[in-house]
Amino acid sequence: MSTLFTALPAAAGALTDAGQTSTAEAVLFWTLGPLMVLAALGLLLARKAVHAALAVIFIMISLAFMYVAQGAEFLGVVQVVVYTGAVMMLFLFVLMLVGVDRSDSLVETIRGQRWVGVLAGLGLGVVLAGVVGRATYGPPVGLVDANAPSNPEAVAYLIFGRHVLAMEVVGALLVTAALGALVLTHRGRLTAKVGQRERAERRLRDGGHPVSLPAPGVYARHNAMDVPALLPDGSPLDSSVPRVLRVRGQEADAREYAARIDRVLAGGWAVGAGTFTSDDEYRGGPGGAVAGGVVMRDPAAGPDAPVDGTDAPTHDEEDGR
Amino acid sequence: MSLTHYLVLAAILFAIGATTVLLRRNAIIVFMGVELMLNSTNLLLVTFSRIHGNLSGQVLAFFVMVVAAAEVVVGLAIIVTIFRTRRSASVDDVNLLKS
């Protein structure tokens, strides 16, 4: 730490004999100063709070530059860490919490408040600038002697020496502030906590499905969630197909699968050394594979609707989708 | 360039911050105006510390920063609480005590 600060040019904060700053510092001031005033006006005039926050962040970083240029290196680093790093990030978090799009209302609740405010601000600025600008301070001393070992060391001697009590009190203040923020943002629970048990009891009370829904009848040859599972009597169970597929009308017809199962059960699997590679082998298989008839009943087609191998091409089209 | 320029800049920033507090309705922007005033005061303190060749000004600015951090935490917590109950971050809407 000490080497970092002694590595800085020793002229940081040094003054000429006439009490003037170095040219480099003047250039820094005249570059950053007008931009800071513009950014401050941006805070005053920006419609959106996020833009105002960005303007303030710019001002704070520029202030850190000025602190370092004035020989207050420790304060410059603390300014970046505390203000831009913590305080303004907190502001941005709260902005996101409150709503970024929320902008000011333009309705004046007090009539003429705007002009009175502008006038008061201008007056304050003129008075302050006039007072601090026209007062005489005596010859500026500069910090070269006061920063003798290095600026952080000299500041540390003061903080932990003469002002150690204030340091302790400030620590207590920080703890109190953290506790206060916790208490203020704590939200008590208005209703009872709903856990797993309560949810299960409510489901049973409302007469809903007590357990999870049945899985669809996924057949091994067809990677499909759209085939309904079969009930013991062979009728398809519509609730086993995911609701989205049902709403879209992408539910597959269970009859063709049933027909194919019947073909397999009737001995069709024996063809080709027990392997089926395509639907053609079904069709070329021993007769009677189709004759097994329909186990499935299609409610739309009626109880006697014939189901045979002609369903297979339709199914192949479905495979392709 | 004399050191008085820094003081004038701090005065201008302070005045703009005060005007922000007077004019803006959004509580968060008002709060940022307060922060701007605190920062300009810090610049003033640092400059005076340099004028007098005495580090007490910097120590005071350091304490101002710490207290400002604590103040921001509590203030933003209050703003969040008000926003939760009134669904608004405008200082005009906090008028429950108005007769």
Side-chain angles (χ1 to χ4, degrees):
Chain A
M1 204 60 176
S2 151
T3 52
L4 168 68
F5 287 107
T6 47
L8 284 169
L15 294 168
T16 62
D17 291 338
Q20 302 288 305
T21 63
S22 64
T23 314
E25 196 183 331
V27 170
L28 180 79
F29 179 86
W30 288 115
T31 310
L32 284 183
L35 288 178
M36 283 164 70
V37 173
L38 280 183
L41 288 177
L43 164 71
L44 180 57
L45 301 174
R47 279 274 140 246
K48 291 194 169 177
V50 175
H51 297 167
L54 288 179
V56 174
I57 289 175
F58 176 80
I59 293 175
M60 287 172 174
I61 294 181
S62 307
L63 276 176
F65 276 98
M66 285 193 172
Y67 291 165
V68 175
Q70 296 221 60
E73 292 95 352
F74 174 70
L75 274 189
V77 173
V78 170
Q79 169 89 5
V80 171
V81 171
V82 171
Y83 267 117
T84 56
V87 170
M88 288 317 292
M89 290 311 116
L90 208 59
F91 267 104
L92 286 180
F93 275 128
V94 170
L95 270 181
M96 287 180 224
L97 213 62
V98 167
V100 174
D101 296 333
R102 213 166 284 268
S103 49
D104 271 8
S105 66
L106 295 175
V107 186
E108 278 188 316
T109 39
I110 307 171
R111 212 161 54 82
Q113 182 210 3
R114 190 165 301 145
W115 297 113
V116 173
V118 169
L119 212 63
L122 272 181
L124 181 66
V126 169
V127 168
L128 280 180
V131 167
V132 299
R134 293 178 66 86
T136 50
Y137 302 105
V141 180
L143 286 174
V144 178
D145 292 336
N147 279 345
S150 73
N151 174 255
E153 282 177 58
V155 172
Y157 275 120
L158 272 181
I159 289 180
F160 296 108
R162 197 194 302 170
H163 301 284
V164 67
L165 182 65
M167 189 72 189
E168 298 291 333
V169 172
V170 155
L173 175 75
L174 277 178
V175 174
T176 315
L179 275 178
L182 283 180
V183 170
L184 278 173
T185 52
H186 179 261
R187 185 154 39 175
R189 195 175 275 283
L190 292 178
T191 55
K193 188 175 180 343
V194 178
Q196 191 178 14
R197 181 184 182 86
E198 287 78 12
R199 243 173 278 149
E201 283 172 350
R202 191 179 58 201
R203 207 181 307 148
L204 282 180
R205 198 171 54 238
D206 295 347
H209 221 285
V211 295
S212 53
L213 288 171
V218 178
Y219 290 88
R221 63 171 303 281
H222 180 86
N223 184 18
M225 295 280 287
D226 57 350
V227 187
L230 302 182
L231 287 174
D233 64 346
S235 56
L237 184 60
D238 273 342
S239 61
S240 66
V241 178
R243 195 175 56 86
V244 178
L245 294 182
R246 271 185 278 148
V247 170
R248 284 187 192 153
Q250 291 175 336
E251 194 175 359
D253 190 358
R255 289 178 302 162
E256 54 188 277
Y257 298 100
R260 217 155 284 152
I261 290 169
D262 286 341
R263 280 199 297 267
V264 172
L265 289 179
W269 59 275
V271 174
T275 54
F276 290 116
T277 52
S278 75
D279 281 353
D280 294 338
E281 288 186 47
Y282 289 118
R283 230 169 267 134
V290 186
V294 191
V295 178
M296 306 288 317
R297 260 169 286 148
D298 185 5
D304 294 330
V307 176
D308 52 23
T310 53
D311 274 36
T314 324
H315 168 62
D316 285 342
E317 285 164 20
E318 283 173 1
D319 264 352
R321 74 163 184 244
Chain B
M1 189 190 86
S2 80
L3 292 181
T4 315
H5 290 80
Y6 282 112
L7 305 180
V8 175
L9 176 66
I12 293 174
L13 289 182
F14 189 93
I16 294 178
T19 316
T20 304
V21 174
L22 285 179
L23 290 186
R24 298 304 295 261
R25 309 282 182 49
N26 190 332
I28 298 176
I29 295 186
V30 169
F31 216 37
M32 284 194 240
V34 175
E35 290 303 309
L36 184 57
M37 286 196 278
L38 285 169
N39 267 292
S40 69
T41 314
N42 280 350
L43 179 61
L44 205 78
L45 286 170
V46 169
T47 310
F48 273 129
S49 148
R50 191 178 178 196
I51 288 178
H52 293 293
N54 187 340
L55 286 181
S56 290
Q58 291 188 19
V59 173
L60 192 53
F62 173 74
F63 282 124
V64 168
M65 281 183 190
V66 178
V67 174
E71 168 237 351
V72 161
V73 168
V74 176
L76 285 180
I78 292 176
I79 289 178
V80 167
T81 313
I82 291 177
F83 177 77
R84 269 191 194 152
T85 51
R86 318 253 10 213
R87 286 287 132 199
S88 162
S90 171
V91 288
D92 284 341
D93 292 339
V94 190
N95 52 7
L96 273 181
L97 290 179
K98 206 168 157 186
S99 59

